[in-house]
Amino acid sequence: MSETRVALVTGAGGGIGAATARALAAEGFRVALHYRSSESQARALSQELPGALLLQADLSQPAEAEALVRALRESAGRLDVLVNNAGHNVNGLMPAMSLESYDAVAGLARGAWLLTKLVLRRFMLRQRSGRIINVSSVVGHTGNPGQVPYTMAKAGLDAMTRSLAQELAGRGILVNSVAPGFIETGMTAELPEEMRAGVLARVPLGRMGTPQDVADAIAWLATRAEYVHGSVLHVNGGLYGG
């Protein structure tokens, strides 16, 4: 079994996921890159990072999550850091939103729960060590019109962080969330210009964040934060303080 530390980043094809994978690789981790549909971006990233693993799965499907964990065990033999970053959103006001749209977003919280359970059982509880970092969002705390399922899912990740941290106390496994504010990613690029201007007017630092801003916080939790557990680290330029 290799002694090289291993990190799994879900939704690693671009934006925050790709920046996080690069940051953890720079810290000496062998990085497993999960993607659901953005294969070309994930494959290009894997060629940048020595020893990177490429893992495809729809994490809301138990059989696919199981297969991913099995492949990780066969390829790397251990897991030291799990970053639950995979994200998806469907914008729309609640009265007009379909159940299918809701399920497409809510499935991400289900996937994070399922993958975390599998990772704990197959790796971290046996190792008696590990870091679990959930990427939530400021809107899980503030709310946001047109994003009811997304805000529910992200608030749920922070609730999972707090509860799981209590369950795992004394097991050598730290659990935390990073809650980004408005970050320059493909998702925020779709915001209407009027909405972007309104957001920037509320951010004391006067700019949107970058994926690297979030990745730096995740890397700190993954490597140097020894006494941070069950916490939500807000990375939002002062928009919301928690």
Side-chain angles (χ1 to χ4, degrees), residues 3 10 21 46 134 142 161 185 187 207 219-220 223 229 241:
E3 292 303 314
T10 68
S46 72
N134 297 314
T142 64
T161 289
T185 65
M187 191 178 294
R207 68 170 177 88
W220 177 73
T223 59
H229 186 50

Side-chain angles (χ1 to χ4, degrees), residues 13-229:
I16 291 170
T20 297
R22 292 186 181 101
L24 292 176
E27 294 283 353
F29 286 90
R30 184 183 186 190
V31 183
L33 308 170
H34 158 266
Y35 69 96
R36 186 184 67 167
S37 57
S38 54
E39 179 178 4
S40 59
Q41 297 98 310
R43 190 168 298 281
L45 178 61
S46 72
Q47 296 179 12
E48 291 181 31
L49 309 178
L53 302 170
L54 201 57
L55 302 170
Q56 190 278 334
D58 178 347
L59 295 175
S60 68
Q61 301 303 312
E64 295 192 32
E66 286 267 12
L68 181 149
V69 171
R70 186 164 56 250
L72 183 59
R73 190 165 187 83
E74 291 170 356
S75 299
R78 64 182 292 138
L79 184 65
D80 301 277
V81 174
L82 168 63
V83 181
N84 283 314
N85 168 72
H88 176 70
N89 188 31
V90 178
N91 289 308
L93 297 178
M94 186 170 173
M97 184 172 287
S98 68
L99 183 59
E100 290 75 17
S101 293
Y102 170 83
D103 285 341
V105 178
L108 294 168
R110 169 187 166 100
W113 178 89
L114 178 59
L115 182 60
T116 301
K117 173 184 175 178
L118 294 172
V119 160
L120 285 170
R121 293 178 64 177
R122 306 290 169 78
F123 298 105
M124 294 182 180
L125 287 172
R126 297 179 183 184
Q127 296 166 186
R128 295 193 65 82
S129 66
R131 308 283 177 99
I132 297 168
I133 302 165
N134 297 314
V135 180
S136 58
S137 173
V138 66
V139 299
H141 298 259
T142 64
N144 208 36
Q147 295 187 337
V148 170
Y150 185 75
T151 59
M152 290 169 67
K154 291 301 188 179
L157 283 178
D158 288 338
M160 184 175 85
T161 289
R162 297 184 180 101
S163 295
L164 188 57
Q166 293 179 39
E167 288 189 15
L168 296 176
R171 302 290 191 96
I173 303 165
L174 300 180
V175 188
N176 292 287
S177 288
V178 171
F182 288 89
I183 308 298
E184 293 283 6
T185 65
M187 191 178 294
T188 57
E190 297 175 0
L191 293 174
E193 191 56 40
E194 182 178 342
M195 185 177 291
R196 285 174 63 90
V199 167
L200 287 177
R202 293 157 49 203
V203 178
L205 290 188
R207 68 170 177 88
M208 296 184 78
T210 68
Q212 191 63 49
D213 291 325
V214 183
D216 288 343
I218 293 171
W220 177 73
L221 286 172
T223 59
R224 291 177 286 281
E226 299 290 342
Y227 197 59
V228 183
H229 186 50

